[in-house]
Amino acid sequence: MALNLSHQLGALTGTPIKSSEMTVPSVDSSLSVSPPSARMHKPMNLNYKDPNRNVSPPMSPVLGSTRGDLSVACKAFAVEEEQRTYKEGGIGGEKGKGGVPVFVMMPLDSVTMGNTVNRRKAMKASLQALKSAGVEGIMIDVWWGLVEKESPGSYNWGGYNELLEMAKKLGLKVQAVMSFHQCGGNVGDSVTIPLPQWVVEEVDKDPELAYTDQWGRRNYEYISLGADTLPVLKGRTPVQCYADFMRAFRDNFKHLLGDTIVEIQVGMGPAGELRYPSYPEQDGTWKFPGIGAFQCYDKYSLSSLKAAAEAYGKPEWGSTGPTDAGHYNNWPEDTQFFKKEGGGWNTEYGEFFLSWYSQMLLDHGERILSSAKSIFETTGVKISVKIAGIHWHYGSRSHAPELTAGYYNTRFRDGYLPIAQMLARHNAIFNFTCIEMRDHEQPQDALCAPEKLVNQVALATLTAEVPLAGENALPRYDDYAHEQILKASALSLDQNSEGENREMCAFTYLRMNPELFKADNWGKFVGFVKKMGEGRDSQRCWEEVEREAEHFVHVTQPLVQEATVALTH
């Protein structure tokens, strides 16, 4: 996801999970927002064009005291409208077919450290409720640190076998995330799942395998991309380890691929996103809306920088990254490198360094996607990659937080088109966060502009002819956020553009937890799912859709009660 909550809302989450131990959920009903704030307004202007920017391609059901017969509720939905087809290829699916399928993210600890389904009864009841509400499917993290934790090449799919079979029996589609990062210390992380033990041992022996900032602080969330092609993990390269894991997943779940499992989202960095860990919240290192810091000071990355500087004819530029780029919590104008007038980012040196830094990230994505494509190309699943929605200081010239994360996006350069083009080469989906946010609700002194950022990304994916999918960055249960997601997912760009009939190919909702199943929240969520399914070209009036949603809320009441009871006991 793109940014931070001090506490994950509700649900099947909480303290670090220990081997053979189930996590007891604790529900926090108050939103605690840090980064992308969870408060929004002002309709999204997808026709936004910055005149100063020269972009060059580079209702609420009453829960009765009696449970009700679940089988009756399920039968009531046997006549439900045919499942929306998860959009095939191209952009926005078949012409004339509207609607955006909604998936729901599962709790981070859906599978325990003991490789069992966490809170099995609650899980089954919750999935039944989601299915009955018209949800297309679920997104589940498949943790490297759980499956291959004991020894290299030894994979334990235990809890995932059971969970995916559960989804299959209910007719839910699955987006499986290949999570090669550590869980814990990131936005919304409420449990701790480390990297595999044998990987941790190798990093302990060679700390240079960790991302490193200019002050020597190590980040252990994900192996540094500087070591991508080096046999540093017991004879294998990190990219080989990721490929072997994906291949083992394919072989174990081949009977579900293309039917139940419809998408593989390939993790490529912290929080599963293609980026550097430039804004780490752990230990209070970074706080929103700080600019973050470059993460290229491990010896393997510096070796690459040295070679690039020599090839460029400026060997003196190869010994270190910028030394005047401030600290994690500075703002652009606090620094010599990022300030708008005469900043180093807009000099020959700045262009050299930022080009190298961002290209390293693109090359990292290219390597892993090449493997993923060859492994899954005959299985009928789609491949996707998640990009972070870094919207703070977007209105500044340098876009400092995007630069430190590896997105070379400034007022004078489009940093998302090269990413979209890379994904297009591998027929991958561009998955973007912060879809629920509105500019007006973000701190304007930090020049936050999530709507403008989403607009830029939508245009980049249109140009590159790559499908765009979305996620909300923070948990939201209100109609106001739902309305913004509906607007953003419709991708209503310039009416004269060729993207006129384009919609997002899917939307993934953050996240399944007890808060979602509260009566008022559930009623709003069901209405949201129905509206997303209508599509922007639907001729039906919203009142009719809302009446239908009310009926769904009423019929799903026994299932929701079952889920609520299971989750809270």
Side-chain angles (χ1 to χ4, degrees), residues 10-14 22-28 109 119 122 514 566-569:
L12 300 175
T13 54
M22 299 288 193
T23 303
V24 179
S26 69
V27 181
D28 180 358
D109 60 349
R119 300 174 62 83
L567 285 169
T568 55
H569 287 81

Side-chain angles (χ1 to χ4, degrees), residues 83-162:
Q83 277 286 71
R84 295 182 300 276
T85 302
Y86 189 29
K87 306 193 175 183
E88 295 295 334
I91 298 172
E94 296 178 44
K95 192 169 182 178
K97 282 201 174 184
V100 178
V102 175
F103 290 74
V104 175
M105 287 188 207
M106 302 303 289
L108 294 167
D109 60 349
S110 293
V111 173
T112 70
M113 292 297 283
N115 275 293
T116 60
V117 174
N118 200 0
R119 300 174 62 83
R120 187 177 287 104
K121 184 180 178 182
M123 186 68 71
K124 185 174 181 180
S126 300
L127 293 181
Q128 285 178 315
L130 293 178
K131 171 64 178 176
S132 297
V135 164
E136 180 83 357
I138 58 174
M139 174 179 277
I140 179 75
D141 284 284
V142 182
W143 295 103
W144 188 25
L146 288 183
V147 175
E148 198 183 357
K149 70 177 179 181
E150 300 298 344
S151 60
S154 177
Y155 306 99
N156 183 345
W157 303 105
Y160 292 106
N161 284 323
E162 185 180 355

